[in-house]
Amino acid sequence: MSLLPLHLLGSPALRQHSAEVKSIDDEIRRLVGDLFETMDAAKGVGLAANQVGITRRVAVVDAEGDRFAMIDPVIVETEGRATAEEGCLSIPDIYGDVTRPERVVMEALDVDGVRYRKEATGLKARAIQHELDHLDGILFLDHLSLLKRQMLLSRWRREHKDDAGYTKEVQAASARSE
Ligand code: NI
């Protein structure tokens, strides 16, 4: 397994609609392993494949003691509304309150190609929805009011105007970013 560079806001991969996987091979299994390793090193609760520049419908989550890979995930049921602060490994140091369904039921394939179903609430439900959004090219910023989004985006542009590119190396021992 290896640590992969993270794609940051501005990377076209983050705005792409990722392609279905359908059949799981060694390449996809390696990708899942790399996503877990990169998420852990970056101290995230979730990571989608397009955040490392691979536009396939694969994501991993580690929230509330539950750690799982989602391949071709779909949300089949939602209930309620909840608002909480979100951040994103692709938009470091930027946070905003996002309202989403409070409970979801998600179906996906695991690394063995077996379809499974997971019910989640709280942080886990939020992480699942945040990662599924990534697979459709959606960022948490898109859920904010226009005013709030423009404010955060102008701050981002100010702080990143000298960036040479839109990827960031993840260090194996990097400090927690939240
Ligand atoms: Ni994210």
Side-chain angles (χ1 to χ4, degrees):
M1 291 194 297
S2 33
L3 287 176
L4 304 172
L6 283 173
H7 282 230
L8 301 183
L9 187 62
S11 162
L14 293 178
R15 288 309 195 178
Q16 279 184 39
H17 187 92
S18 294
E20 278 199 333
V21 172
K22 287 185 182 146
S23 90
I24 291 156
D25 54 16
D26 285 347
E27 191 188 337
I28 294 295
R29 277 186 279 270
R30 191 174 327 118
L31 171 61
V32 167
D34 290 347
L35 287 174
F36 273 125
E37 190 176 341
T38 304
M39 172 185 71
D40 290 346
K43 311 289 185 199
V45 296
L47 186 63
N50 59 335
Q51 292 182 273
V52 297
I54 297 165
T55 53
R56 306 295 301 278
R57 301 186 82 77
V58 179
V60 295
V61 166
D62 188 345
E64 299 181 334
D66 195 4
R67 188 173 167 87
F68 51 96
M70 306 185 287
I71 299 167
D72 292 347
V74 285
I75 287 172
V76 294
E77 225 180 285
T78 64
E79 193 187 336
R81 308 276 281 167
T83 301
E85 187 173 74
E86 287 188 28
C88 180
L89 292 177
S90 292
I91 320 171
D93 304 320
I94 299 275
Y95 301 91
D97 283 337
V98 178
T99 301
R100 299 183 183 273
E102 202 277 330
R103 172 186 165 272
V104 298
V105 178
M106 179 275 299
E107 282 184 9
L109 300 176
D110 67 15
V111 288
D112 299 313
V114 177
R115 181 158 289 276
Y116 71 97
R117 175 180 268 244
K118 187 177 287 290
E119 184 186 343
T121 56
L123 177 64
K124 199 198 296 187
R126 184 166 294 277
I128 289 171
Q129 294 174 82
H130 179 114
E131 299 318 320
L132 262 80
D133 270 358
H134 272 303
L135 302 182
D136 291 322
I138 297 166
L139 299 170
F140 82 85
L141 296 175
D142 303 331
H143 292 283
L144 306 178
S145 69
L146 182 63
L147 190 66
K148 180 80 180 166
R149 183 163 67 245
Q150 284 174 338
M151 201 185 78
L152 292 175
L153 281 173
S154 68
R155 206 185 97 198
W156 173 271
R157 281 192 287 265
R158 206 163 52 237
E159 290 169 359
H160 292 265
K161 62 178 178 348
D162 299 324
D163 287 6
Y166 47 69
T167 59
K168 175 182 129 184
E169 297 297 327
V170 178
Q171 304 303 319
S174 73
R176 195 172 182 91
S177 63
E178 0 176 80

